[in-house]
Amino acid sequence: MKIINIVGARPNFMKMAPIIEAMNQHPSTIQHLLVHTGQHYDEKMSQAFFDDLGMPKPDIDLEVGSGSHAEQTARIMIAFEKVCLQEKPDLVIVVGDVNSTMACTITAKKLGIKVAHVEAGLRSRDMAIPEEINRLCTDVLCDVLFTTDKGAGENLLAEGIDANKIVFAGNVMIDTLKKHQDLAARLSLIDQLELKPQGYALLTLHRPSNVDEPAVFKGIAQALHQLGERLPIIFPIHPRTRKMAEQFGLMDILQAKDSSSGIHLLEPLGYLQFLHLMMNARMVLTDSGGLQEETTALGVPCITLRENTERPITCEEGSNVIVGNKKENIIAAAETILSGQPKAATVPEKWDGKAAQRIVDWLVE
Ligand code: UD1
């Protein structure tokens, strides 16, 4: 069986790493190639993850880079079609919900190649989010849909997808988290930053809905500035967010005034350093999808600065709350955690470090 595994953007790498590792246990059955679309290309957004996760160098790099959604998607499709024609894989595996996920799915299906989607069935029901469009297009085309929770399977069934295509495998991102937890715990980054365990908040922000509108981004920045007076906020800033903050003149609000409080901007971090900061944080504030799941697995309180989530299980069972992007709601949620009353949380079924194994066992059978 010849398989092409696809990665493109930062949140793909930690999902694909355990799948490759599990495939390597079956050298006589599975021949696999790794294709990187090049959607993310900065050292800190891409190579740092390959190093931290011990991932093999991509066999093929499509080097598509940034662009509008249509440009980026089209460039991936044109380049990946050539790869498919040359390599003639039996199966393409895509993960997550980024533009690379959708572009490679459409390309392979039109050539009659089977596609499997890992992390299928997540739905926010919000078509203003580009990833929701990517998820819908990907899932409707895929031949095998590996899901992270039962709710995702129910979403797919409700859309008329054949139950035989759906495999509840669990969460591959949590495989990677569990594998690296001990290593991350031994890092000294919080000492270097002069922070105490549970003595700071960790922040990420990059959704267009939060950072592309000056008034919205300003409101969030003001809320964070106010919260920064209560505890330090560590903010490894995504390149697009930095660009927008500079453009809107928000860097002053976002910069720390002294070392004991305020917002501390960092460059994007590698996987291990970020995990180290996440596991020691009092709370995480984010608009990322993946962090909602990782904080749930770690039991760290998470405040999600969005109006909805495609990962409701992180709220129903995990440590996540959805607060939107209004200043008073962000502050109120943080105050609840600071007052020592975070919500009770459990880890969802099959977020146990064995999801990739289940996926590969299924493929081999
Ligand atoms: C992409 C994913 C998003 C994911 C995020 C994680 C889509 C639609 N979005 O969003 O789901 O949560 O990755 O980071 O696929 N840039 C750099 N260096 C890079 C990559 C991007 O500077 O290596 C800058 C460029 O200005 C670029 C912008 O970030 O235009 C946006 O990059 P893009 O890949 O389009 O989307 P992300 O916002 O990173």
Side-chain angles (χ1 to χ4, degrees):
M1 181 166 35
K2 183 170 183 179
I3 298 179
I4 292 187
N5 293 316
I6 305 290
V7 290
R10 185 167 64 176
N12 291 160
F13 306 129
M14 60 293 264
K15 293 170 191 166
M16 191 52 86
I19 298 173
I20 293 175
E21 201 179 318
M23 284 183 178
N24 284 338
Q25 305 303 312
H26 300 273
S28 56
T29 330
I30 298 180
Q31 182 202 350
H32 59 92
L33 287 178
L34 181 61
V35 170
H36 189 337
T37 64
Q39 176 174 345
H40 283 175
Y41 44 87
D42 280 359
E43 153 78 29
K44 292 188 175 79
M45 301 295 285
S46 177
Q47 185 57 43
F49 287 80
F50 280 77
D51 298 343
D52 274 4
L53 302 172
M55 275 173 80
K57 208 170 154 312
D59 298 286
I60 300 167
D61 192 336
L62 306 180
E63 295 182 346
V64 299
S66 298
S68 72
H69 283 257
E71 284 167 350
Q72 191 174 58
T73 304
R75 284 206 291 264
I76 296 169
M77 291 178 72
I78 293 166
F80 186 55
E81 183 177 56
K82 296 191 179 100
V83 173
C84 288
L85 290 171
Q86 179 157 358
E87 298 295 338
K88 301 188 177 46
D90 302 299
L91 179 71
V92 169
I93 300 189
V94 295
V95 295
D97 56 16
V98 302
N99 287 345
S100 303
T101 309
M102 179 187 71
C104 291
T105 300
I106 296 174
T107 307
K109 278 307 285 182
K110 288 211 161 181
L111 293 171
I113 300 165
K114 287 197 162 50
V115 185
H117 183 204
V118 174
E119 198 190 271
L122 299 183
R123 297 289 183 267
S124 66
R125 318 269 174 225
D126 182 350
M127 295 295 250
I129 301 178
E131 290 79 4
E132 184 72 0
I133 298 172
N134 292 343
R135 290 180 205 113
L136 285 161
C137 293
T138 301
D139 287 343
V140 78
L141 293 175
C142 275
D143 302 276
V144 189
L145 297 150
F146 293 109
T147 57
T148 48
D149 63 56
K150 290 201 174 123
E154 285 160 16
N155 290 339
L156 293 168
L157 290 174
E159 288 167 16
I161 299 229
D162 181 350
N164 293 320
K165 290 182 173 182
I166 304 168
V167 182
F168 175 27
N171 195 326
V172 286
M173 199 170 54
I174 307 307
D175 294 5
T176 298
L177 184 142
K178 284 187 167 283
K179 183 179 168 189
H180 294 89
Q181 226 170 331
D182 289 345
L183 200 56
R186 293 200 290 273
L187 299 184
S188 57
L189 184 60
I190 58 167
D191 299 334
Q192 287 165 29
L193 294 170
E194 297 178 4
L195 299 167
K196 297 201 170 51
Q198 271 76 56
Y200 63 94
L202 178 64
L203 166 72
T204 80
L205 206 62
H206 71 279
R207 297 261 150 222
S209 56
N210 282 333
V211 304
D212 285 5
E213 278 293 323
V216 174
F217 194 177
K218 189 171 182 189
I220 294 174
Q222 284 169 338
L224 296 168
H225 187 82
Q226 191 175 323
L227 182 61
E229 289 164 7
R230 295 287 311 274
L231 85 172
I233 301 176
I234 307 303
F235 186 13
I237 189 166
H238 187 290
R240 74 170 293 144
T241 309
R242 181 182 285 278
K243 201 163 72 180
M244 293 322 227
E246 284 167 356
Q247 197 175 317
F248 302 153
L250 294 174
M251 288 307 270
D252 276 355
I253 314 182
L254 290 175
Q255 301 277 18
K257 294 285 176 276
D258 62 66
S259 62
S260 63
S261 73
I263 306 167
H264 301 259
L265 295 186
L266 302 177
E267 289 295 307
L269 295 171
Y271 182 79
L272 289 170
Q273 290 198 323
F274 192 84
L275 177 55
H276 171 81
L277 286 184
M278 186 161 46
M279 55 204 283
N280 285 298
R282 181 76 181 268
M283 69 184 85
V284 169
L285 298 113
T286 190
D287 58 9
S288 143
L291 291 201
Q292 297 174 53
E293 295 186 343
E294 290 172 332
T295 47
T296 275
L298 292 167
V300 172
C302 180
I303 299 174
T304 296
L305 278 60
R306 287 172 47 188
E307 299 299 333
N308 51 48
T309 179
E310 64 288 344
R311 293 162 160 92
I313 197 166
T314 60
C315 300
E316 292 152 11
E317 297 184 19
S319 57
N320 187 25
V321 290
I322 302 291
V323 303
N325 53 23
K326 300 257 169 2
K327 183 179 169 185
E328 53 280 13
N329 296 344
I330 298 170
I331 299 283
E335 288 294 345
T336 304
I337 296 166
L338 287 174
S339 68
Q341 296 167 322
K343 64 190 286 241
T346 55
V347 179
E349 187 186 353
K350 295 195 190 177
W351 292 23
D352 57 358
K354 296 174 190 151
Q357 195 59 59
R358 283 190 283 267
I359 288 171
V360 173
D361 286 350
W362 190 92
L363 292 174
V364 169
E365 273 169 35

